[in-house]
Every structure is written in structure tokens, then in C-alpha cells.
Amino acid sequence: FIGLFAQPRFVNLDRHDADIADSGNHDKINLSPGRERLQQMNQSDAEAEPCGIKEAAIVCSHVADRTSPILQAVRTPRTENTDSGWQFLCNSGQEEDFDLAKVWSIDEVLKYEPSLQGWIKCPFGTTLWRASVNDEWVIWDQD
């Protein structure tokens, strides 16, 4: 998949926004409980967006070198048929060098982070977030 994207399409979500979520100040964002929201989406295929295991996803360099877990997942509209729209990020606050980002298949992502299995068909525009690998995924609505 290397070479499909000229420039990785990272969403610019800075650590401040994650700190707001972590602090419990939800005036700016709505964190929907993960399990409840996933159950709602599974009951209604209208929101599901197909995503094949061979489709491409961008992973930040810290995830790609396997030194950090995936703590944020963002799905943007596809740029081409082989693009899943997913970006998987460590959300560690470390400086990110976009030239070091990698393209993995969805299958590779799910092998690295199996907890994303039920979330992979979320609609475009979805942002998933968790504070640590011990926390459940939540949908981050920035409305």
C-alpha cells in the first residue's frame, strides 16, 4: 500500500482537546459510551460504512514502530477505492513526523489492536478515543 497517499491525512487534534475529554469538561465535546453506541450502530446498518480488511489505513509513526498503542482512530472520507478512510494515532502528545507515518491494511491494524474489530465499519466522520489501553473506546462527537 505504500505510495497510495502522497501526504498522510492526519486530523489535527491536539493534546489540549484530549485533556478536555480526560478532565470531564464535556462542554465542547460529547463522549458517547462506546459499548452503547456500538450496539446502536450494529442494530442499524444504515450508519455502517463497509470496510474491507485489505483496505489501506494510515498509522502514526509511534504506532507503526510499535512503541505506542492506538488511542485515537479517525475516519475521514475515502480518497480512492483502496482507502478505508481510517487514521490510527497514538495521541501521545509527541511530535509527529508525517513522513514517518505508514500505511497498513485494516487486517494489520486489527491484529495489532483487536479491540477495534467492532468499530471498523463506523461511518465517515467518526472519531474514536480512549485514555489508555485499559479503557473502552468512546465516540468523540465534536458538535
Side-chain angles (χ1 to χ4, degrees), residues 43-133:
Q43 291 172 354
S44 170
D45 280 343
E47 287 190 63
E49 183 62 46
C51 184
I53 62 170
K54 301 280 189 226
E55 291 181 15
I58 296 172
V59 295
C60 77
S61 62
H62 304 110
V63 170
D65 66 13
R66 301 179 191 281
T67 59
S68 296
I70 298 170
L71 297 179
Q72 186 172 12
V74 179
R75 193 162 194 203
T76 57
R78 302 174 192 270
T79 58
E80 56 185 80
N81 291 340
T82 57
D83 175 15
S84 70
W86 280 111
Q87 301 168 54
F88 297 98
L89 313 165
C90 65
N91 198 31
S92 66
Q94 299 176 59
E95 184 74 22
E96 195 60 64
D97 183 346
F98 298 122
D99 292 332
L100 297 178
K102 301 292 181 193
V103 178
W104 285 5
S105 69
I106 292 297
D107 187 46
E108 289 175 287
V109 171
L110 294 177
K111 285 178 182 170
Y112 184 70
E113 185 48 69
S115 70
L116 287 164
Q117 181 69 46
W119 297 97
I120 216 68
K121 292 182 180 178
C122 285
F124 299 120
T126 298
T127 296
L128 302 173
W129 179 85
R130 61 184 179 168
S132 76
V133 294

